[in-house]
PDB file of all heavy atoms in Angstrom:
ATOM      1  N   ARG C 311     -18.540  27.816  22.216  1.00  0.00           N
ATOM      2  CA  ARG C 311     -19.264  28.740  21.397  1.00  0.00           C
ATOM      3  C   ARG C 311     -20.102  28.018  20.321  1.00  0.00           C
ATOM      4  O   ARG C 311     -21.130  28.519  19.913  1.00  0.00           O
ATOM      5  CB  ARG C 311     -18.320  29.728  20.768  1.00  0.00           C
ATOM      6  CG  ARG C 311     -19.037  30.871  20.101  1.00  0.00           C
ATOM      7  CD  ARG C 311     -18.010  31.887  19.527  1.00  0.00           C
ATOM      8  NE  ARG C 311     -17.339  31.338  18.419  1.00  0.00           N
ATOM      9  CZ  ARG C 311     -17.036  31.992  17.420  1.00  0.00           C
ATOM     10  NH1 ARG C 311     -17.383  33.251  17.236  1.00  0.00           N
ATOM     11  NH2 ARG C 311     -16.255  31.492  16.425  1.00  0.00           N
ATOM     12  N   ILE C 316     -21.293  31.700  25.187  1.00  0.00           N
ATOM     13  CA  ILE C 316     -20.440  31.559  26.261  1.00  0.00           C
ATOM     14  C   ILE C 316     -20.771  32.411  27.350  1.00  0.00           C
ATOM     15  O   ILE C 316     -21.149  33.570  27.219  1.00  0.00           O
ATOM     16  CB  ILE C 316     -19.019  31.980  25.744  1.00  0.00           C
ATOM     17  CG1 ILE C 316     -18.571  31.215  24.521  1.00  0.00           C
ATOM     18  CG2 ILE C 316     -17.963  31.735  26.902  1.00  0.00           C
ATOM     19  CD1 ILE C 316     -17.324  31.738  23.911  1.00  0.00           C
ATOM     20  N   ARG C 331      -4.236  35.253  25.686  1.00  0.00           N
ATOM     21  CA  ARG C 331      -5.164  36.086  25.006  1.00  0.00           C
ATOM     22  C   ARG C 331      -5.227  35.755  23.500  1.00  0.00           C
ATOM     23  O   ARG C 331      -6.274  35.791  22.813  1.00  0.00           O
ATOM     24  CB  ARG C 331      -4.901  37.555  25.332  1.00  0.00           C
ATOM     25  CG  ARG C 331      -5.407  38.047  26.586  1.00  0.00           C
ATOM     26  CD  ARG C 331      -5.236  39.499  26.856  1.00  0.00           C
ATOM     27  NE  ARG C 331      -5.981  40.296  25.879  1.00  0.00           N
ATOM     28  CZ  ARG C 331      -7.262  40.547  25.885  1.00  0.00           C
ATOM     29  NH1 ARG C 331      -8.050  39.991  26.745  1.00  0.00           N
ATOM     30  NH2 ARG C 331      -7.809  41.228  24.867  1.00  0.00           N
ATOM     31  N   LYS C 332      -4.014  35.689  22.885  1.00  0.00           N
ATOM     32  CA  LYS C 332      -3.936  35.549  21.493  1.00  0.00           C
ATOM     33  C   LYS C 332      -4.665  34.157  21.020  1.00  0.00           C
ATOM     34  O   LYS C 332      -5.388  34.139  20.058  1.00  0.00           O
ATOM     35  CB  LYS C 332      -2.493  35.477  20.932  1.00  0.00           C
ATOM     36  CG  LYS C 332      -2.321  35.412  19.529  1.00  0.00           C
ATOM     37  CD  LYS C 332      -1.080  35.720  18.913  1.00  0.00           C
ATOM     38  CE  LYS C 332      -1.159  35.790  17.443  1.00  0.00           C
ATOM     39  NZ  LYS C 332       0.038  35.394  16.751  1.00  0.00           N
ATOM     40  N   ALA C 333      -4.378  33.167  21.909  1.00  0.00           N
ATOM     41  CA  ALA C 333      -4.944  31.839  21.519  1.00  0.00           C
ATOM     42  C   ALA C 333      -6.521  31.917  21.716  1.00  0.00           C
ATOM     43  O   ALA C 333      -7.216  31.438  20.759  1.00  0.00           O
ATOM     44  CB  ALA C 333      -4.414  30.758  22.544  1.00  0.00           C
ATOM     45  N   VAL C 334      -6.957  32.450  22.755  1.00  0.00           N
ATOM     46  CA  VAL C 334      -8.396  32.456  23.017  1.00  0.00           C
ATOM     47  C   VAL C 334      -9.071  33.446  22.035  1.00  0.00           C
ATOM     48  O   VAL C 334     -10.195  33.135  21.496  1.00  0.00           O
ATOM     49  CB  VAL C 334      -8.680  32.737  24.504  1.00  0.00           C
ATOM     50  CG1 VAL C 334     -10.212  32.942  24.780  1.00  0.00           C
ATOM     51  CG2 VAL C 334      -8.177  31.611  25.339  1.00  0.00           C
ATOM     52  N   ILE C 335      -8.481  34.531  21.756  1.00  0.00           N
ATOM     53  CA  ILE C 335      -9.083  35.512  20.775  1.00  0.00           C
ATOM     54  C   ILE C 335      -9.217  34.809  19.414  1.00  0.00           C
ATOM     55  O   ILE C 335     -10.232  34.949  18.699  1.00  0.00           O
ATOM     56  CB  ILE C 335      -8.271  36.823  20.697  1.00  0.00           C
ATOM     57  CG1 ILE C 335      -8.497  37.662  21.938  1.00  0.00           C
ATOM     58  CG2 ILE C 335      -8.623  37.626  19.366  1.00  0.00           C
ATOM     59  CD1 ILE C 335      -7.673  38.853  22.142  1.00  0.00           C
ATOM     60  N   GLY C 336      -8.134  34.034  18.991  1.00  0.00           N
ATOM     61  CA  GLY C 336      -8.194  33.251  17.746  1.00  0.00           C
ATOM     62  C   GLY C 336      -9.321  32.316  17.720  1.00  0.00           C
ATOM     63  O   GLY C 336      -9.938  32.032  16.665  1.00  0.00           O
ATOM     64  N   ALA C 337      -9.703  31.809  18.923  1.00  0.00           N
ATOM     65  CA  ALA C 337     -10.738  30.847  19.028  1.00  0.00           C
ATOM     66  C   ALA C 337     -12.195  31.451  19.062  1.00  0.00           C
ATOM     67  O   ALA C 337     -13.129  30.963  18.413  1.00  0.00           O
ATOM     68  CB  ALA C 337     -10.510  29.929  20.201  1.00  0.00           C
ATOM     69  N   ILE C 338     -12.317  32.440  19.827  1.00  0.00           N
ATOM     70  CA  ILE C 338     -13.698  32.996  20.015  1.00  0.00           C
ATOM     71  C   ILE C 338     -13.818  34.470  19.673  1.00  0.00           C
ATOM     72  O   ILE C 338     -15.016  35.025  19.725  1.00  0.00           O
ATOM     73  CB  ILE C 338     -14.240  32.771  21.406  1.00  0.00           C
ATOM     74  CG1 ILE C 338     -13.389  33.582  22.415  1.00  0.00           C
ATOM     75  CG2 ILE C 338     -14.175  31.294  21.856  1.00  0.00           C
ATOM     76  CD1 ILE C 338     -14.013  33.585  23.865  1.00  0.00           C
ATOM     77  N   GLY C 339     -12.733  35.118  19.352  1.00  0.00           N
ATOM     78  CA  GLY C 339     -12.775  36.601  18.916  1.00  0.00           C
ATOM     79  C   GLY C 339     -12.642  37.479  20.208  1.00  0.00           C
ATOM     80  O   GLY C 339     -12.975  37.154  21.237  1.00  0.00           O
ATOM     81  N   ALA C 340     -12.044  38.588  19.856  1.00  0.00           N
ATOM     82  CA  ALA C 340     -11.701  39.578  20.963  1.00  0.00           C
ATOM     83  C   ALA C 340     -12.900  40.075  21.639  1.00  0.00           C
ATOM     84  O   ALA C 340     -12.945  40.133  22.878  1.00  0.00           O
ATOM     85  CB  ALA C 340     -10.773  40.732  20.395  1.00  0.00           C
ATOM     86  N   SER C 341     -13.943  40.393  20.869  1.00  0.00           N
ATOM     87  CA  SER C 341     -15.108  40.974  21.548  1.00  0.00           C
ATOM     88  C   SER C 341     -15.822  40.028  22.459  1.00  0.00           C
ATOM     89  O   SER C 341     -16.195  40.425  23.567  1.00  0.00           O
ATOM     90  CB  SER C 341     -16.082  41.576  20.470  1.00  0.00           C
ATOM     91  OG  SER C 341     -16.483  40.490  19.612  1.00  0.00           O
ATOM     92  N   ASN C 342     -15.813  38.774  22.032  1.00  0.00           N
ATOM     93  CA  ASN C 342     -16.452  37.755  22.886  1.00  0.00           C
ATOM     94  C   ASN C 342     -15.611  37.582  24.228  1.00  0.00           C
ATOM     95  O   ASN C 342     -16.108  37.424  25.205  1.00  0.00           O
ATOM     96  CB  ASN C 342     -16.466  36.421  22.187  1.00  0.00           C
ATOM     97  CG  ASN C 342     -17.732  36.113  21.421  1.00  0.00           C
ATOM     98  OD1 ASN C 342     -18.681  36.603  21.783  1.00  0.00           O
ATOM     99  ND2 ASN C 342     -17.654  35.372  20.362  1.00  0.00           N
ATOM    100  N   LEU C 343     -14.301  37.653  24.091  1.00  0.00           N
ATOM    101  CA  LEU C 343     -13.487  37.475  25.196  1.00  0.00           C
ATOM    102  C   LEU C 343     -13.606  38.677  26.197  1.00  0.00           C
ATOM    103  O   LEU C 343     -13.873  38.507  27.350  1.00  0.00           O
ATOM    104  CB  LEU C 343     -12.008  37.103  24.896  1.00  0.00           C
ATOM    105  CG  LEU C 343     -11.139  37.072  26.019  1.00  0.00           C
ATOM    106  CD1 LEU C 343     -11.401  35.867  26.882  1.00  0.00           C
ATOM    107  CD2 LEU C 343      -9.591  36.981  25.596  1.00  0.00           C
ATOM    108  N   ASN C 344     -13.359  39.876  25.573  1.00  0.00           N
ATOM    109  CA  ASN C 344     -13.363  41.051  26.410  1.00  0.00           C
ATOM    110  C   ASN C 344     -14.663  41.319  27.064  1.00  0.00           C
ATOM    111  O   ASN C 344     -14.693  41.899  28.177  1.00  0.00           O
ATOM    112  CB  ASN C 344     -12.884  42.208  25.574  1.00  0.00           C
ATOM    113  CG  ASN C 344     -11.401  42.053  25.106  1.00  0.00           C
ATOM    114  OD1 ASN C 344     -10.701  41.276  25.707  1.00  0.00           O
ATOM    115  ND2 ASN C 344     -11.034  42.828  24.008  1.00  0.00           N
ATOM    116  N   ALA C 345     -15.804  40.977  26.454  1.00  0.00           N
ATOM    117  CA  ALA C 345     -17.077  41.167  27.087  1.00  0.00           C
ATOM    118  C   ALA C 345     -17.278  40.268  28.211  1.00  0.00           C
ATOM    119  O   ALA C 345     -18.174  40.565  29.022  1.00  0.00           O
ATOM    120  CB  ALA C 345     -18.146  40.982  25.966  1.00  0.00           C
ATOM    121  N   ARG C 346     -16.612  39.126  28.270  1.00  0.00           N
ATOM    122  CA  ARG C 346     -16.935  38.127  29.309  1.00  0.00           C
ATOM    123  C   ARG C 346     -15.988  37.914  30.351  1.00  0.00           C
ATOM    124  O   ARG C 346     -16.208  37.386  31.431  1.00  0.00           O
ATOM    125  CB  ARG C 346     -17.261  36.835  28.647  1.00  0.00           C
ATOM    126  CG  ARG C 346     -18.480  36.860  27.797  1.00  0.00           C
ATOM    127  CD  ARG C 346     -18.727  35.556  27.083  1.00  0.00           C
ATOM    128  NE  ARG C 346     -19.960  35.633  26.326  1.00  0.00           N
ATOM    129  CZ  ARG C 346     -20.177  36.274  25.297  1.00  0.00           C
ATOM    130  NH1 ARG C 346     -19.255  36.935  24.590  1.00  0.00           N
ATOM    131  NH2 ARG C 346     -21.395  36.252  24.629  1.00  0.00           N
TER     132      ARG C 346
END
Side-chain angles (χ1 to χ4, degrees):
Chain C
R311 188 177 67 142
I316 303 172
R331 281 186 57 78
K332 187 164 185 211
V334 174
I335 286 171
I338 64 170
S341 57
N342 270 327
L343 176 62
N344 294 338
R346 291 173 176 79

